Amino acid sequence: MIKPGFMSLTFGIGYMDDHLLYIMASIVVLGVLAQWLSWRLRLPSILALLILGLVAGPATGLLQPDLMFGDLLFPLISLGVALVLFEGGLTLKLEDIRGHGAAVTHMVTWGALLNVVLIAGGVWCFTAIPGMLALLFASLVVVTGPTVISPLLRTVRPNSKIRHILHWEGILIDPLGALLAVLVFQFISVGSSVDSLGFFVQGVLVGMTSGVAVAAGLGFLLRRHWVPEYLQNALTLAAVILAFAGSQYLANESGLLAVTIMGMWLGNIRGLDTSEILNFKESLSVLIISILFIVLAARVDIEIMLATGWDALVLIVIITVARFLVVWLATLRQEYSWQEKFLIAWIGPRGIVAAAVSSLFAVRMEALGYQNSELLVTFTFLVIIGTVVLQSFTARPLAKLLGLVEDEPKGILIVGANPVARTIGKALQSLGFTVKVTDTSWTEIQAARMDGLDTYFGNPVSAHADRHLDLVGIGRLFAMSQRSALNMLACLKYRSEFGRQRVFTLRNAEEKETTGKYPSNDPYHGQRLFGKDVSMEKLAALIAQGAQVKVSLLTENYDWDAYQRRYGDRAVPLFGLDGKDHLRAFTDGFEPKLQAGWRILALVPAELLAE
C-alpha cells in the first residue's frame, strides 16, 4: 500500500518537473521567435533577446533561473558559453587578419589592446567598478561582432571603404576579443594568490595545451576520414566538452581558454574542411545564445540597473571616446576623410560575447571575493542596450549628414558559380555593377575568382552566410545554381531582404526531372529569368559552343525591331539597360520597353559574333 505522504511527495516532484519542462520549452520557443523577429525587422537579435529576458525575469517574475535550475544553472551556462567561444574561434582564419588592409589589422590587434586600456582607465576613474573588475569589463566590451554589425550596415548602407572596415572588424574581433577576455579573466582569477604569476602561466599553458591537443587529435581523425560523416558533428561536440572539462579539471578556470584555442587551431588546419562542422555549430550556437540571453537577462536586477543612474551614460561616453581615439590612430596616414573616420568610430555596437561571458565571469569573480561584481553584468547589459539602440537610430541619419550613404543598392547576388552564372556575372560586372557569386563547390568558386568575380564560398541560406556574406550594396538576387531546392530556398530567404520584385531564378533540368516539365512562375521560385523557353541547360550549351554576352546599343535607326530582324531567335535577350543604368531583366511575364539609348545584353552564338 502506498502511503498518502509518499503520493503527495511524488505528485509534488512530478509537478515541479513538469513546471520546469514548461519553462524550458517556453525559453526555447521565445528565443527562436526573437531570432526570427529580428531577422524580419533587420535588427540585431541580441536586442530582442535581452528585452524578452528582462520582461520574463525581473519585470514579471515569471522566469527565476536561480530558483528553477539551482546548482545546475552555472555549469550549464559555462558549457553554453564554451560552445559559443569554440564556434567563434572556428570562424577565425589567421590569414584574414592581414588580408583586409592596415586599418582593419590595426583595429583588431594593438587597437583592441589600446581600447581595453583606455576603457579600463576611464571606468576605474569615473564609476564604482574597482580596478581589476574595470579591466575585465573593458576586455568584454571591446568586442562588436557580426551579429550586431551586419544588420546595422544593411540599414545604414555606408560607402564601400567604411563597410569593409566595419564588416571585417566585426568578424575578426569576435574570436580575438573572446580570447583577450578569457586571458584577462585568467589573470584576475589568480591575482589573490601568493604565486599569482605562476598560477596564471600554469592556467594559460594548460588551456592552450588542452585546446591544441584535442584540436590536433580531432583534425587527425577527420583529415584521414576515420570518422563517418554522420558522426563528425557529434564527435566534434564531444571533443569540445572534453577539452573544456579536462582543462577545467587540470587547472581551474582554464576551460574557456582551451575551447577558444581549440576552435582557432581546428579552423586553421590546412586541408581540413570545417564547413559542415561550422554549419552545425552555428545552428547550435543560435539556439544556445537564444537560451543563454533570455536566462541571463532574467537574472539582472532592475533595481541595481536603475540605481546606476548617470553611470550608464558615463560608460557610453567613455567607450565612445576610446573608440574615436583608437580609430583615429588606426587610420592615421591612410586615405580616409575625417567624415569616414567619424562614422567608423561612431558605429560600434556591443554584442554576443560581452553578454554571454559577463554573467559567467561575474559569478566567478563573486566567488573569488570581489565586491560589486554584480555591476559587471549590469553595466555590460546597459552598454549593449545603449550602443545598439543609440546607433540603430542615429547611424543612418549621421551617414546621410556626412554624405557617406550609397545610392539605392544595384549590386547582384548570384547563387551558383557554374559557367552560365560566371558568364552573366562577368558581363554585368564589366558594365559597372557590383556582383557577388556564391556556391558550395570550391572548384566553381575558384573558377569564379579566376574570372575576377567577388565570391562567397558557402551556402547562401546558412547561418554562416548571415554573419559573413556582405550584402551591403547588393539589391537583387539571381538564383542560377543547378540545384533547384537551393534556388527556391534562396528566393524565399532574400525576397524579404530585397523585395519580391527583385528576386529571380533560372530554370534547370533538376526541376524538369522532378515535375516532368519546367514549372511556371510560382511564389517559391521568384520571377523566371530570360523567358519561358530558356533554361540553364540551353544557356550552358550555347556557352560551351562559344556563345558570349554581347552588348548592343539601340538608336533611332537601329531599334528593337531591327535588332530582332538581325538576330531573330538565335540570340537570347538577357537584360535591358536604360540611359540611367537601370537594369531590367527579361522574364516570363515582362519584356522591357526598349527605346533609343537603351543597351541590350544578349547571349549571342559564336557564328553571329563576327557579324
Side-chain angles (χ1 to χ4, degrees), residues 478 504 529-530 574-576 583-587 590-592:
F478 293 163
F504 304 82
L529 285 169
F530 314 140
L574 305 175
F575 306 100
L583 191 69
R584 300 288 185 267
F586 284 79
T587 66
F590 177 76
E591 183 177 296

Side-chain angles (χ1 to χ4, degrees), residues 514-528:
T514 303
T515 63
K517 62 179 181 179
Y518 290 117
S520 59
N521 280 358
D522 58 60
Y524 305 109
H525 286 91
Q527 300 179 76
R528 294 293 192 170

